[in-house]
Amino acid sequence: MNGLTDTVTLITGAGSGIGRATAKRFAREGAAVVVADIDSDAGETTVTQVEAAGGTATFVKVDVATPAESKAAVETAVDTYGGLDFAVNNAATGTTPVPTPQITETDWDRTTAVNQKGVWAGLKHEIPALLESGGGAIVNVSSVAGIRGSPGRSPYSASKHGVIGLTRTAALEFADDGVRVNAVCPTIVDTPALQTMTEEERAGLIEDVPMGRPAAPEEIANAIVWLCSNEASFITGHTLPIDGGSGVQ
């Protein structure tokens, strides 16, 4: 894809699901990939899969809720590959669905720290590195829960709404500096988290998708990589739903 060969990409939450699929797609397009994840075994597996396919990757352990670790991930990209061209802030967490009054402060704080503060910390350290490289692009992974209500998941929905606010603000701040910032909003995706649900729970989620199935991680990765490519060179501050038609019901 145009503009990705011999570039460097940092992806958080790259140990599985959307993050792993995105790492593999960037590598296939010729980018070196920094695989960041809190799970070392999962992250190293992604690196192995990238390298087995002929790509270049390195792993760094990161808890995005700790800004110093986000900074260290960016430094790893710069020290290992000489700079940073793209970043994908994908790492996220959630809670067991319960009504808003039943959410614990602990669950609220952890979800917000990872999903919202973690994206802010990524932007804080990624943007200066992109500016130093002469520009680039960032994609933040929000959710359809970030553009509409999500009963039972108030911390998750609130944090994902926050990701969109961060995306739009950063996009405006750096639009004239060669740094584009966009967000994707996936619906239910066929990730390991989906497989842990009961068949009844999965069916209930898929019922809301007009296309009648979850998205494949690769389908989200395709959109992320496209937004970073030169083919999307005049797109910034955009929120792209990837929802199988659910947003137009």
Side-chain angles (χ1 to χ4, degrees):
M1 193 172 288
N2 190 7
L4 300 180
T5 303
D6 297 326
T7 59
V8 182
T9 303
L10 167 65
I11 305 170
T12 68
S16 64
I18 294 170
R20 175 175 288 174
T22 303
K24 293 164 75 172
R25 178 62 197 276
F26 265 108
R28 195 160 69 244
E29 297 294 337
V33 181
V34 177
V35 173
D37 203 283
I38 197 170
D39 184 331
S40 297
D41 290 341
E44 293 287 6
T45 297
T46 297
V47 170
T48 298
Q49 292 182 5
V50 167
E51 293 177 339
T56 300
T58 191
F59 171 72
V60 58
K61 184 172 182 178
V62 174
D63 179 353
V64 298
T66 303
E69 296 191 19
S70 292
K71 179 181 180 182
V74 172
E75 291 173 344
T76 295
V78 173
D79 293 345
T80 304
Y81 299 115
L84 183 66
D85 301 290
F86 308 110
V88 181
N89 295 308
N90 166 71
T93 190
T95 58
T96 301
V98 294
T100 298
Q102 296 177 30
I103 297 293
T104 67
E105 185 175 0
T106 298
D107 283 345
W108 179 273
D109 288 347
R110 178 59 182 171
T111 303
T112 303
V114 174
N115 297 0
Q116 187 170 326
K117 180 182 176 183
V119 171
W120 160 75
L123 294 170
K124 176 178 176 64
H125 299 293
E126 294 155 3
I127 290 173
L130 265 62
L131 292 170
E132 185 69 23
S133 295
I138 297 172
V139 176
N140 299 321
V141 179
S142 181
S143 166
V144 293
I147 51 179
R148 66 188 191 204
S150 184
R153 300 197 300 165
S154 59
Y156 183 83
S157 183
S159 65
K160 291 297 189 177
H161 273 76
V163 168
I164 292 173
L166 284 165
T167 298
R168 291 171 173 166
T169 299
L172 291 174
E173 289 172 340
F174 295 95
D176 196 36
D177 296 308
V179 175
R180 298 184 296 107
V181 188
N182 293 290
V184 294
C185 295
T187 184
I188 184 75
V189 181
D190 191 7
T191 64
L194 181 63
Q195 300 307 318
T196 64
M197 298 180 184
T198 67
E199 185 174 339
E200 183 179 3
E201 288 172 332
R202 289 195 298 271
L205 291 172
I206 294 170
E207 185 179 10
D208 291 333
V209 181
M211 291 183 72
R213 64 173 178 84
E218 292 75 14
E219 291 175 305
I220 312 304
N222 290 342
I224 292 170
V225 173
W226 177 76
L227 282 169
C228 288
S229 76
N230 286 342
E231 294 175 12
S233 58
F234 203 58
I235 300 175
T236 194
H238 183 64
T239 299
L240 177 63
I242 310 174
D243 60 8
S246 60
V248 295
Q249 294 186 102

